[in-house]
Amino acid sequence: MAPGLYAAALSALERHAGRAQRDRIGIVDFAVSSSDPRLHLIDLANGTAASLHVAHGSGSDPGHTGWLQRFSNSPGSNATSEGAFLTGDYYFGHHGRSQRLIGLDQTNDNALERAIVIHGAWYAEPTMIGAHGKLGRSQGCLAVGDSLLNQAFNHLGTGRLIYAAKMA
């Protein structure tokens, strides 16, 4: 994880203390390639962590390099947003079971309007890396492999913070 990212995530958790549960957190390190596990699921109570692959939006990586180039909070951008998100309710949609994300910062406060969610996707399976050297891209959502979705959902649940950023 990039230096300072963990501290920035904990700072976000403090800023949003009245809204987010404080036992577990998700941190997405967009400074690394989609070929690396960059969604870190951390249990703050016991210090354990698991890391999963997660896709970024096509608008964040127009050349499909596997590296996030830019963030956007604009509707129609197909880009991933940065900042603190609160995990919302589950629903069944186009990608099956999904979880709404509520943007808590000015950099992601359009998340609900943009339908930025956590969902499973075939193009986010780790097997894509062996075939293509990177994951596929979402429309701005945090997409994890279908086979890993329950692990992410079981860790996060509702009312927990996910912090997404790109720090050098």
Side-chain angles (χ1 to χ4, degrees), residues 53-161:
H53 289 87
V54 64
H56 54 258
S58 61
S60 290
D61 178 12
H64 199 194
T65 64
W67 294 86
L68 182 137
Q69 304 295 316
R70 69 179 189 93
F71 291 107
S72 179
N73 191 28
S74 298
S77 68
N78 287 343
T80 299
S81 297
E82 65 182 322
F85 297 88
L86 185 68
T87 56
D89 61 328
Y90 297 100
Y91 69 97
F92 283 88
H94 179 73
H95 294 283
R97 188 171 180 225
S98 302
Q99 185 174 31
R100 289 183 175 84
L101 294 176
I102 301 154
L104 300 176
D105 297 328
Q106 287 183 334
T107 55
N108 63 8
D109 59 2
N110 289 326
L112 281 175
E113 174 190 342
R114 294 180 60 211
I116 302 300
V117 302
I118 301 172
H119 66 76
W122 62 270
Y123 59 79
E125 285 291 343
T127 55
M128 293 295 290
I129 297 160
H132 302 284
K134 60 192 170 236
L135 298 181
R137 298 168 297 166
S138 68
Q139 293 181 316
C141 295
L142 300 180
V144 300
D146 288 316
S147 65
L148 302 170
L149 187 62
N150 283 337
Q151 183 179 356
F153 284 170
N154 290 341
H155 175 83
L156 292 167
T158 58
R160 294 209 171 72
L161 194 96

